Amino acid sequence: MERRKFLTGTALVGAGVAATTLAAPAIAGGHEKLTMVTSWGRGAAGVFDAAQHFADSVNAMSDGTLEIDIKAQGELVSGLPAVFDAVTSGQADMYHAADYYYIGQHPAFAFFTAVPFGMVPSEMMNWYYHMGGHELHRELGEEFGLVSFLGGNTGPQAGGWFKKEIKSSADFNGLKFRMPGLGGKALGKLGASVQTIPGSEIYQALASGAIDALEWIGPWADEKMGFQEITKIYYTSGFHEPGAALSVATNQDRFNSLSPAHQKMIEIASAETHQWSLAQFKANNSQALTRLIAGGVTALEFPDEVWDAFGKASKEVMDENMDDELFKKTSESMQSAMRQSANWDSLSAGAYTAQRTRVLG
Ligand code: CA
């Protein structure tokens, strides 16, 4: 009798273990909450949307077991460097930002947003996912205790808003211009007084005269900012960000504390947000430009002489950073991938688009 009781008890314990094992996949890693700081004002069109989309995707994919708590610019920390510092110090778990805000920490961060005369979005995706870009991003991030992924893309950015028309490169001399990254450094070579300020502060800076001109993103996001209320002069093409990627970077120790499944969800949601975000910008830009023009905005292109000056200044800026080994290695990898991708794109999609326009009119 005693023996029988013992066996029954064992069987019950066994059933209990089995039930626990079966339930385990749904709670892999338990419930985790990650605080994500961003460089974007809450609700900023496109960029904050990308951060929100990433968070929503992770929450849904993990069945609520990995929760992303977004803190917009100013909610936990203020200013662009503070976003980076919060994550490297462990005050926050991750950030959603444009990595070129951190060229002061390392110039190679520029490559993972955009460099002047760099890649358009399709070239960026080829390089990042199949031609070594992601590995270089991870290598750079690890120097700062970060695990980095691309997690958004604005598409090609506009040249910006000006209070006076640009007739020659000399018009940049003394111009107070908001432009981050290495593009901003290039404008500095043309004599501009370049400032990097968060998107949420640009409108006021332009309205008050603290800056004379600015670039933000493109027609849709710019329209939401309301720059057209202050000036009507808009340059639609720019040299500085031909396809600006956004990043999701997680504190490395915190990332390593997560289950492999949760880690993979962060990677997958980042990549999916990269695509989703690019499409959101591209789907909205044309209609926004039509509305801006209907509202009195003049859409202009810089003269060739200005583009030539942008090119010369950009090359100088890139060359100045080549003594950094990781910058040089990343630049060579990017340039090689860009040339290869551009060649095939020109022969395939480029030729097709020209023919489609010709045949269909
Ligand atoms: Ca920009």
Side-chain angles (χ1 to χ4, degrees):
M1 201 57 190
E2 286 300 310
R3 166 97 179 135
R4 186 183 174 89
K5 265 187 181 171
F6 176 72
L7 285 174
T8 308
T10 305
L12 283 172
V13 169
V17 169
T20 304
T21 306
L22 282 174
I27 53 163
H31 179 270
E32 299 277 4
K33 184 172 178 176
L34 300 177
T35 300
M36 184 168 80
V37 287
T38 78
S39 49
W40 326 117
R42 186 162 287 275
V47 284
F48 187 85
D49 292 343
Q52 186 69 59
H53 181 82
F54 167 80
D56 291 347
S57 294
V58 169
N59 289 339
M61 256 194 286
S62 68
D63 204 15
T65 63
L66 184 56
E67 185 184 344
I68 310 287
D69 180 23
I70 304 179
K71 302 291 186 192
Q73 178 61 212
E75 292 180 359
L76 183 65
V77 294
S78 295
L80 298 173
V83 168
F84 187 90
D85 294 343
V87 179
T88 53
S89 71
Q91 182 190 4
D93 299 309
M94 66 202 317
Y95 70 69
H96 189 274
D99 266 356
Y100 73 169
Y101 291 143
Y102 311 121
I103 56 171
Q105 281 76 5
H106 197 295
F109 276 115
F111 293 105
F112 303 100
T113 303
V115 295
F117 289 89
M119 297 178 289
V120 297
S122 61
E123 293 164 351
M124 171 63 105
M125 291 199 187
N126 298 349
W127 177 59
Y128 196 79
Y129 297 111
H130 292 283
M131 302 172 91
H134 178 210
E135 289 75 9
L136 288 161
H137 199 195
R138 289 291 298 266
E139 183 178 340
L140 174 62
E142 280 169 13
E143 284 196 16
F144 296 88
L146 298 171
V147 178
S148 302
F149 300 106
L150 293 189
N153 198 307
T154 69
Q157 296 208 1
W161 299 85
F162 295 74
K163 289 187 176 169
K164 285 193 283 193
E165 227 178 282
I166 296 295
K167 307 276 192 195
S168 82
S169 55
D171 291 338
F172 280 92
N173 195 21
L175 202 69
K176 289 177 285 180
F177 201 110
R178 184 270 177 190
M179 181 186 285
L182 298 183
K185 302 270 185 215
L187 282 193
K189 303 251 176 223
L190 303 184
S193 168
V194 179
Q195 303 181 29
T196 300
I197 52 176
S200 51
E201 297 172 17
I202 303 175
Y203 180 96
Q204 190 51 41
L206 186 67
S208 71
I211 54 174
D212 304 313
L214 69 103
E215 70 77 48
W216 171 231
I217 297 178
W220 175 56
D222 291 4
E223 179 191 37
K224 297 271 189 191
M225 286 288 196
F227 304 132
Q228 69 278 9
E229 295 161 8
I230 305 171
T231 180
K232 303 290 186 197
I233 301 173
Y234 193 37
Y235 285 80
T236 54
S237 185
F239 74 103
H240 58 299
E241 293 179 75
L246 313 174
S247 290
V248 173
T250 309
N251 178 288
Q252 195 164 30
D253 291 338
R254 188 70 180 96
F255 189 86
N256 290 340
S257 77
L258 299 173
S259 70
H262 280 169
Q263 292 176 357
K264 196 68 183 174
M265 287 174 203
I266 291 173
E267 181 180 348
I268 290 172
S270 297
E272 189 271 341
T273 301
H274 191 185
Q275 290 277 3
W276 180 90
S277 160
L278 175 63
Q280 189 194 31
F281 279 103
K282 293 188 97 166
N284 283 290
N285 273 337
S286 289
Q287 294 170 62
L289 184 62
T290 301
R291 284 192 299 271
L292 288 169
I293 290 170
V297 167
T298 304
L300 297 169
E301 295 296 326
F302 295 117
D304 284 353
E305 182 271 330
V306 172
W307 277 97
D308 290 343
F310 288 156
K312 182 170 176 289
S314 298
K315 185 172 184 316
E316 284 173 28
V317 169
M318 296 299 284
D319 287 348
E320 282 168 8
N321 287 290
M322 289 300 177
D323 52 0
D324 181 274
E325 196 180 323
L326 184 54
F327 186 95
K328 186 168 186 287
K329 183 168 76 166
T330 309
S331 180
E332 287 170 357
S333 171
M334 186 213 82
Q335 295 288 346
S336 165
M338 186 169 78
R339 275 193 294 274
Q340 292 177 53
S341 294
N343 186 41
W344 173 241
D345 282 353
S346 168
L347 293 169
S348 56
Y352 165 74
T353 305
Q355 289 294 347
R356 185 177 68 181
T357 304
R358 189 184 66 80
V359 172
L360 298 184

